[in-house]
Amino acid sequence: MTNTPETGTDSTPASARPKVSAWNIANVVTVIRLAMVPFFAACLFLPGSGWRVAALVVFMVASLTDLLDGELARRYGLVTDFGKIADPIADKALIGAALISLSVLGELPWWITVVILGRELGVTGLRFAVIRHGVIPASYGGKVKTVLQIAAIVSYIWPGVPDLIRWVVMGAAALVTVVTGLDYVIRAIKLRQVAKRARAI
């Protein structure tokens, strides 16, 4: 990911950070992940166990690129504002495609999909609403949320996983998703307040 883990609110203005070109390998990996989303969804809807396995492989590979672009960004100093916005969008597109597809196929209750995607879309909208004040990096709670969502989706795509395990993992993912969403709202409010105080000086 191109997001940098943090424990508070990053109120550093974009102008104070070194300029890095948006056209770098970390962001290219992020865009590739986004491009894999429609192919994953197509595999999930095609009949046959072979296509199901293909969908699982594509989903897992796309999820691993989430770790790859973050490692590249941190190791080579390629963190950009574009990456901080594009990376969560790519993540949400992948997770959203999986949840919606599973609900359309009748394998996942729609209310779970609505709760998780409602939070994700709300946070994405909030990112754009406060971007003029600064970019809020991902928190560690957000990383846990992403891992749980991926694990839950894999459990639903993988044939033969007991329903109890699927429900427990998906329930944990939904709970953490909501909690971290509330945390993001609080940090966005703090960032806005910091920006206002800075302009008043």
Side-chain angles (χ1 to χ4, degrees), residues 14 25 34 73 75 80 85 96-97 107 123 137 141 150 157 159-160 165-166 171 178 194 200:
I25 185 61
L34 187 59
R75 179 173 297 184
T80 65
I85 296 298
E107 300 178 29
V123 166
I150 291 173
I157 298 176
I165 293 178
R166 288 175 171 174
V178 173
V194 169

Side-chain angles (χ1 to χ4, degrees), residues 100-164:
I100 292 173
S101 297
L102 288 170
S103 291
V104 170
L105 290 169
E107 300 178 29
L108 179 68
W110 273 105
W111 71 266
I112 290 285
T113 297
V114 170
V115 167
I116 293 178
L117 293 190
R119 180 274 190 193
E120 301 294 6
L121 292 175
V123 166
T124 300
L126 195 56
R127 280 180 182 272
F128 285 106
V130 302
I131 194 172
R132 66 182 182 276
H133 303 301
V135 176
I136 302 177
S139 66
Y140 288 109
K143 302 294 185 181
V144 173
K145 177 265 301 181
T146 299
V147 170
L148 284 173
Q149 287 180 351
I150 291 173
I153 290 169
V154 167
S155 73
Y156 273 81
I157 298 176
W158 200 309
V161 176
D163 289 339
L164 178 60

Side-chain angles (χ1 to χ4, degrees), residues 47-66:
S49 58
W51 285 112
R52 189 74 171 198
V53 172
L56 178 61
V57 171
V58 173
F59 180 81
M60 294 182 71
V61 170
S63 299
L64 288 175
T65 65
D66 191 19

